[in-house]
């Protein structure tokens, strides 16, 4: 079994959901990066691939943190994004 963990990818998804602020890391992968990384990982018999350094770090480190900590961080980020949406702005920390 192989899994691709692309993180946020430049795509029409953000137009469909009505906000680019859902990509809270501020950086997005390109579809090409994800498409190139997937077969390379398959050729190397890797169980999963997370293209991009920041995405790879998040994919590897997040599951190793206490769930309550991850949930608290996620709540803070989501509240900040929702508040910025209501104010019509994007938080500075998330600007790519």
């Amino acid at each position: 079994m192989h899994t691709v963990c692309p993180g946020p990818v430049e795509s029409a998804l953000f137009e469909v959901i009505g906000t680019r602020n859902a990509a809270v890391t501020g950086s997005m992968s390109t579809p090409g990066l994800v498409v190139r990384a997937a077969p390379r990982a398959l050729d190397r018999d890797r169980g999963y691939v997370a293209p991009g350094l920041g995405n790879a770090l998040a994919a590897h480190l997040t599951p190793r943190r206490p769930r309550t900590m991850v949930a608290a961080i996620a709540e803070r980020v989501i509240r900040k994004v929702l508040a910025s949406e209501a104010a019509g702005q994007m938080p500075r920390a998330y600007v790519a």
Side-chain angles (χ1 to χ4, degrees):
M1 176 193 254
H2 300 279
T3 304
V4 178
C5 305
V9 177
E10 284 286 347
S11 68
L13 169 71
F14 298 100
E15 292 172 26
V16 171
I17 64 174
T19 182
R20 293 183 58 82
N21 290 351
V24 296
T25 61
S27 62
M28 292 194 199
S29 297
T30 63
L33 175 68
V34 175
V35 169
R36 285 188 303 273
R40 278 197 312 257
L42 185 60
D43 288 343
R44 295 177 182 159
D45 202 28
R46 301 258 170 103
Y48 74 95
V49 61
L53 178 61
N55 186 39
L57 288 173
H60 291 292
L61 296 177
T62 301
R64 289 161 179 81
R65 302 290 171 246
R67 287 182 186 174
T68 54
M69 179 179 162
V70 173
I73 292 169
E75 179 184 15
R76 288 183 65 192
V77 169
I78 290 169
R79 286 186 188 278
K80 195 170 193 176
V81 169
L82 292 175
S84 69
E85 283 287 310
Q89 310 172 352
M90 186 173 183
R92 288 181 51 199
Y94 305 134
V95 175

